[in-house]
Amino acid sequence: MEAEDDPHALWPEHLVRLARTLDGAGAREKREILGQFWGILHVALLRYARAHARRMGRLSPEDVRDVVSEKASDLIARLDLKEWDPGAATPALLRSFLSTTARNGVVDALRSGRREVLVGDDLEPRGGRGIESATQEDAVSVDEFVRALVGCLDVLSARARRAWFLRVFYELSSAEIARHPDVASSPAGVDAMLARCRDHVRTCMESKGLGSHDLPPGTFVRLWELTERDRAGLGVGS
Amino acid sequence: MSAHVSEDRLIDLAAGLLSGPESEPALAHLRACPACEETFRGVCRDLERTRLRAAPSRQRVALIGTVAALAAAVLAAAVVVPLWRSSRAVDPRAYWIPIETEPVDLRAAPPAADDALFVQATEAYRRHDARKVVELLAGRAIPEAQDPVRLLYASALLKTGDAAGTLQALEPLRIPSLPQPYRDRAKWVQLGALHALSRDDEATALAAELAARSGEFADAARRLARTP
């Protein structure tokens, strides 16, 4: 279902456009373009590699990531050296090329005897896990929960909120969060910041008669929208 | 419930390519569909992690306020980037990390004198002169921007017989956080040091880990794991 290409997807065209702007860009601008290109290229390759891995064999999520990491690094290096010119391709051709690249990586990995393990969560297609869709009642309670949580998070600084979000939803380590440009701190500083956040959120949610241990489905996307606003407030582009 | 949001659309959304009105239908679906929300969370997480790897030195620029201007100016220097090549060596102490010189932007702005030192150390390593590498780098602070050189230093220490120093030099690298192929290379050097220090249980566990994975050292680690 989701492995099929969405004809309305914007990212392939965006990558083509980014590649075209590389020519004539200054060193600083070039770095920014390559940074943007790299991020989208990576998630696009992951999307294809997972789809191929689901069909062809059983690679661990870690091995799929390694395959993609190698392929993405290689492509970025070739783009930087002008050995690969996605700017000359159509979005459809680019997609096809990336899918083939991911497929080749997966095939090579399977041939070279990469470890076969149980398929991880992130290799499973959606809809096959028996997760029930949220009912209207659920939606109401999630809305209440999120409103309460947002109220509690609101008193934190945008930076602290971002650090909390990166830990709770993306499970980034303190070192990674410290390195994040929205946070820019030391790992110890992040640990202290997160400890304060956790204490505050727990106390605040308890004062509203709610726990903060299990975040109900729907919480992530609602908070993601808010943090995107925070990011815009911090002046961080995507 | 409406049809699931395509993964392509989730990438668009996570990358900020959709305008407000364009994103609303997708967001409305995500709010009501835990499976799609979970996939979206994965896409966002992958994107964040990738961005962190793409711009690791931004944070350092922010931290080093006094050198911010210098950092923004970007120093071009020749440092070493070890490239992926397969190795048939079974003894980690005999392994030389492959080296290729590439111009790399140094945004963390280490002092110029140290840049030259790191280049010299790299050249010494390229000549397989481990003693010279150790002589040049012993007691020197090696900034995070020069992590590839730190790995060479650790390897050189192992070759000169300082296994304890090797482990010490590797520690700031936070090996599990390194991207491939650096992660496995660092583990291979670490394995050699553990073996030299007769920390056999740890060495065996590390060999088993490398043997179970694909990659540069899989075969060698498997052979090593079979060696009594």
Side-chain angles (χ1 to χ4, degrees), chain A residues 6 10 66 95 162 169, chain B residues 6 8 12 41 48 213:
Chain A
D6 180 342
L10 299 177
D66 284 349
R95 293 173 75 116
R162 187 80 183 130
F169 289 107
Chain B
S6 72
D8 282 327
D12 287 347
R41 188 168 73 93
E48 284 294 352
R213 286 180 42 71

Side-chain angles (χ1 to χ4, degrees), chain B:
Chain B
M1 187 172 54
S2 59
H4 289 302
V5 182
S6 72
E7 206 166 344
D8 282 327
R9 204 63 170 167
L10 296 181
I11 293 173
D12 287 347
L13 185 62
L17 302 179
L18 300 178
S19 65
E22 282 175 326
S23 63
E24 192 39 50
L27 288 169
H29 178 87
L30 292 178
R31 285 183 213 117
C33 176
C36 285
E37 184 193 37
E38 186 56 24
T39 306
F40 181 54
R41 188 168 73 93
V43 171
C44 291
R45 186 177 50 216
D46 289 335
L47 198 57
E48 284 294 352
R49 286 220 154 109
T50 309
R51 280 172 178 156
L52 281 179
R53 279 170 35 204
S57 46
R58 277 197 201 169
Q59 162 265 350
R60 245 172 277 135
V61 171
L63 278 179
I64 310 170
T66 52
V67 294
L70 185 58
V74 180
L75 292 175
V79 298
V80 171
V81 178
L83 291 182
W84 176 279
R85 282 180 204 155
S86 62
S87 166
R88 290 175 182 81
V90 177
D91 181 359
R93 282 165 298 187
Y95 173 69
W96 289 94
I97 294 166
I99 289 176
E100 181 140 322
T101 304
E102 278 187 4
V104 170
D105 291 338
L106 298 178
R107 295 179 208 121
D114 280 355
D115 283 353
L117 186 75
F118 298 140
V119 172
Q120 277 180 46
T122 300
E123 285 305 316
Y125 192 91
R126 186 200 301 280
R127 296 191 308 271
H128 292 188
D129 188 348
R131 286 194 188 286
K132 184 71 179 172
V133 176
V134 173
E135 186 188 312
L136 286 165
L137 296 177
R140 296 274 181 174
I142 305 177
E144 201 177 337
Q146 299 285 3
D147 275 352
V149 177
R150 175 175 286 282
L151 184 52
L152 301 185
Y153 176 49
S155 167
L157 282 169
L158 182 62
K159 287 174 181 300
T160 56
D162 185 357
T166 302
L167 294 181
Q168 214 175 347
L170 287 172
E171 208 176 318
L173 284 177
R174 300 188 302 273
I175 295 174
S177 72
L178 290 176
Q180 292 289 21
Y182 312 110
R183 194 192 317 150
D184 280 359
R185 286 175 181 164
K187 282 183 179 175
W188 189 243
V189 173
Q190 186 182 25
L191 172 59
L194 290 170
H195 188 70
L197 292 168
S198 301
R199 287 163 63 173
D200 294 336
D201 289 348
E202 290 166 83
T204 305
L206 198 51
E209 187 191 327
L210 286 165
R213 286 180 42 71
S214 61
E216 195 174 358
F217 304 101
D219 291 342
R222 277 181 211 125
R223 288 202 291 275
L224 199 64
R226 283 199 295 268
T227 307

Side-chain angles (χ1 to χ4, degrees), chain A residues 93-212:
Chain A
L93 270 178
L94 177 65
R95 293 173 75 116
S96 167
F97 173 77
L98 293 182
S99 175
T100 305
T101 302
R103 184 180 179 283
N104 291 345
V106 169
V107 169
D108 288 347
L110 288 168
R111 278 187 187 149
S112 69
R114 289 203 182 201
R115 184 176 41 157
E116 292 184 11
V117 295
L118 291 174
V119 176
D121 275 353
D122 58 353
L123 285 182
E124 289 189 18
R126 276 171 286 167
R129 283 182 278 180
I131 295 174
E132 298 298 325
S133 300
T135 63
Q136 265 192 329
E137 279 175 20
D138 289 340
V140 172
S141 65
V142 172
D143 278 342
E144 281 172 8
F145 182 88
V146 170
R147 248 198 311 277
L149 187 54
V150 167
C152 292
L153 293 173
D154 215 29
V155 298
L156 300 173
S157 68
R159 188 162 158 261
R161 264 200 304 274
R162 187 80 183 130
W164 181 87
F165 189 85
L166 291 170
R167 169 58 60 82
V168 171
F169 289 107
Y170 298 159
E171 294 135 20
L172 298 191
S173 67
S174 298
E176 287 173 312
I177 295 171
R179 217 163 60 229
H180 198 285
D182 293 357
V183 179
S185 181
S186 64
V190 168
D191 284 337
M193 193 191 294
L194 288 173
R196 282 197 300 273
C197 288
R198 270 193 299 269
D199 284 349
H200 167 74
V201 170
R202 188 173 52 242
T203 312
C204 178
M205 290 297 274
E206 282 171 2
S207 74
K208 296 178 181 189
L210 295 162
S212 58

